[in-house]
Each structure stands twice: as C-alpha cells, then as structure tokens.
Amino acid sequence: MVLETAVEVVLNGLQQGAIFALLGIGLTIILGTMKFLNLAHGALYLIGGYAGMYVIRETTLSTGYLESIGVTTVGLGLGFAAAMVLVPIFGFVVGLLMERYVAEPFYDRPETDQLLVTFGLALIVQEVVKFLMGGSTFQPATPEQVLGISVGGPIELPIVGNYPQWRLYIVLIALVVIGLTYLVIEKTDFGLVVQAGTQDSEMVRLLGIKINRSYSLVFAMGAALAAFAGLIGVSFQTVSPQIGTEQALIPAFLVLVVGGAGSVVGAIFGGFVLGITIAAMTVLASQWAQIVLYAVAAGVLLFRPEGLFGSAEVGE
C-alpha cells in the first residue's frame, strides 16, 4: 500500500511538475535574457487556458462551429490536437505584442516599475476574461481522443493499478515540448545569442548582433510556453479567471527561485522537484502543501541565492 501510494505520488508529481517546468522555462529565459520581471506571465497561462477551451469547443464536431455549418462527416474531430497547434501560436503573437508595447519601454526602468506595469496588465487580463466569460468555473476539458488515439479513461499500470492515462500523456507531451525548447536554446545559433545576451548583452551588441530582435523572439517563446502550459492545465484542473495567479504565477516564480534565472535545465529540475513536493504534501498534509513549497524555495535561497543551476552574473 505504501509503495502503491509512493508510485502514484511520483506519477502525479511528474504530471504537475511538467506544467511547472513549462511555466518556469518561459519565465526564466525572459528574466535571464532581458532582466525583465514579468508578473503578467500567469496571465499568459490564463489566456492559453481559455483560448484552448474555445478552440477545443469550436473544432469538436458535435458542439462547435464546424457542426453549425454542417461539417459533420469528414472526420475532423480535431479538438485538443487543434488546440495544441493554435494556442502556442496565439500565445506567441500575444507575447510579441506584449514585448513591443509593454516590456520594451520598461527595459531600462527600475524593477519596481516593471513589477507595477506587468501586475497591472495581469489584473486587466483577468478582468477582461471575467467580463467575457463570466466569473463561473469550468470543469476540466479532458479529451477522450487526440487524432484518433484514445487518451481518456484509465490504464492498467504495475503496482498502482488503474491510473488516468491522460495524465501520462500530459507528461509525454510536456517532455516533447520541453525537449524541443532545450534544443532551440542549447543547440542553435539563436540559442547561443540568447545565452550570450544572458551573460553580457552589451558585448553581444558590440559584436553587431541585433539583440533586440532576439529579445522579442525570446519573450514570445516564453509567452507561447506559458499559453501551452495553460492549455495542458485546463485539461485536468478546474478553470476560473483566477488560475493565472493561483495556479501559474506563484509556482513559476518558485521554479525560477529553485532552478535559477536564465537556466533551462534549472527550470526543468525545479519544476519537477516542486511538482513531486506538492503531490507528496497533498497526500501527507494538503493544508501544508503551499507552505512547504515556499519553504523549499526559501531553503534554496538561503544556501544558494542564485538558484541551483543559476549563475551569480545572471542574478545581478
């Protein structure tokens, strides 16, 4: 019984940690590269969640726009698959606009100004979503099939027995996206520019590289990851206009603190550590779960202020 519970905690922790890692990577590359504190990162998660629900509904033949115009027999039950393509693109575009009209004018301003303007933007997004969608909560949009593959229902696993197979698909999908992001940052010329900008942006400019263009792409990439995390999140969590703050912003910053600003590996590690921690505390003493998360982050700050995988130069 103890082993069964332990394995289930690890599986749940990996699933929650995958969401945290997606959020943390987006936030850490923005902060590490541009030294910009983006409190609207949770709002991007919120936008991705609601945009995902809309796309799923409108591309599902039995309920959406396609059904309303009579397209019901050509096998276009796209649903969640369509959302996985469209939501990151939407988040990318929103990120470009946010970087151009909100972040860029504040790059050389004090951090307090950055916090104020992005927190205000987060509140505006939350209120707009509440106005458009109402303050009601929505049940998770868990798909039954994705591109003809059955992903709903339980699956028989060793030790734990029946387990919701969609939770395993969440981990798999998130790992694929995380892996692709890691390759872009670590193995491409664009990634090398981003990493160099993290260490010394002025030197990058002196080398004739248009770092501002890279800034825009980094910001948009971070926004797309946050929006994708929102889409994954609404597939197993109750959705409300408050999810941007309660389920995304605070965990993203805790991941950043644990992993270190500017470190993709740190965000991945921190995300899964915090995910498994909160899954374990949910079983042991759920009322202490949030407190323990803060305690873990505080412990890392105490012994390694730059985070487990961060560098002191990035933190300055």
Side-chain angles (χ1 to χ4, degrees):
M1 187 66 180
V2 173
L3 179 60
E4 176 184 336
T5 302
V7 173
E8 189 167 357
V9 163
V10 171
L11 292 174
N12 291 341
L14 290 175
Q15 168 245 296
Q16 184 63 68
I19 306 296
F20 288 168
L22 285 171
L23 281 165
I25 292 173
L27 188 62
T28 198
I29 60 175
I30 291 173
L31 178 60
T33 306
M34 291 167 267
K35 312 296 186 290
F36 185 80
L37 286 170
N38 183 21
L39 290 186
H41 200 67
L44 295 165
Y45 178 92
L46 172 64
I47 290 172
Y50 274 90
M53 285 201 307
Y54 179 81
V55 172
I56 292 169
R57 188 185 65 185
E58 294 303 319
T59 56
T60 299
L61 293 182
S62 60
T63 60
Y65 173 75
L66 295 177
E67 187 275 340
S68 70
I69 61 175
V71 182
T72 60
T73 60
V74 292
L76 290 178
L78 299 175
F80 203 86
M84 285 196 294
V85 174
L86 296 177
V87 168
I89 294 174
F90 182 60
F92 190 89
V93 173
V94 171
L96 285 177
L97 296 174
M98 186 183 294
E99 194 275 340
R100 175 65 180 83
Y101 296 105
V102 178
E104 186 180 356
F106 287 85
Y107 280 157
D108 297 324
R109 300 280 288 272
E111 292 178 350
T112 51
D113 291 4
Q114 298 174 3
L115 293 174
L116 185 63
V117 70
T118 53
F119 185 67
L121 179 62
L123 292 179
I124 291 171
V125 170
Q126 180 174 305
E127 292 304 316
V128 169
V129 170
K130 190 181 297 182
F131 173 77
L132 294 175
M133 307 296 292
S136 303
T137 59
F138 296 88
Q139 294 304 307
T142 304
E144 291 297 324
Q145 288 190 344
V146 175
L147 295 178
I149 301 173
S150 177
V151 297
I155 186 173
E156 182 73 18
L157 294 179
I159 302 176
V160 296
N162 287 333
Y163 188 80
Q165 62 174 332
W166 176 239
R167 289 177 175 265
L168 299 180
Y169 279 106
I170 287 176
V171 177
L172 178 62
I173 292 169
L175 287 178
V176 170
V177 174
I178 289 170
L180 292 174
T181 305
Y182 177 83
L183 291 177
V184 169
I185 297 297
E186 299 291 338
K187 303 297 182 182
T188 66
D189 292 341
F190 168 73
L192 291 176
V193 172
V194 170
Q195 293 183 61
T198 301
Q199 301 298 323
D200 193 337
S201 59
E202 288 304 317
M203 180 60 70
V204 174
R205 286 192 177 93
L206 291 174
L207 292 173
I209 298 172
K210 295 179 179 179
I211 190 69
N212 287 345
R213 184 178 300 171
S214 298
Y215 281 177
S216 299
L217 293 176
V218 167
F219 201 104
M221 183 188 299
L225 288 171
F228 190 78
L231 168 66
I232 299 295
V234 301
S235 70
F236 71 97
Q237 292 175 330
T238 301
V239 186
S240 73
Q242 289 75 37
I243 60 173
T245 302
E246 297 174 355
Q247 298 178 16
L249 181 60
I250 293 174
F253 270 92
L254 292 177
V255 168
L256 189 148
V257 168
V258 173
S263 172
V264 174
V265 175
I268 297 170
F269 182 82
F272 283 110
V273 165
L274 294 181
I276 292 175
T277 300
I278 199 168
M281 291 307 303
T282 301
V283 174
L284 297 174
S286 59
Q287 70 274 23
W288 292 91
Q290 296 297 325
I291 295 175
V292 171
L293 287 185
Y294 285 107
V296 171
V300 172
L301 274 179
L302 184 62
F303 295 102
R304 189 170 169 81
E306 64 272 26
L308 296 176
F309 293 85
S311 64
E313 289 80 3
V314 176
E316 290 175 353

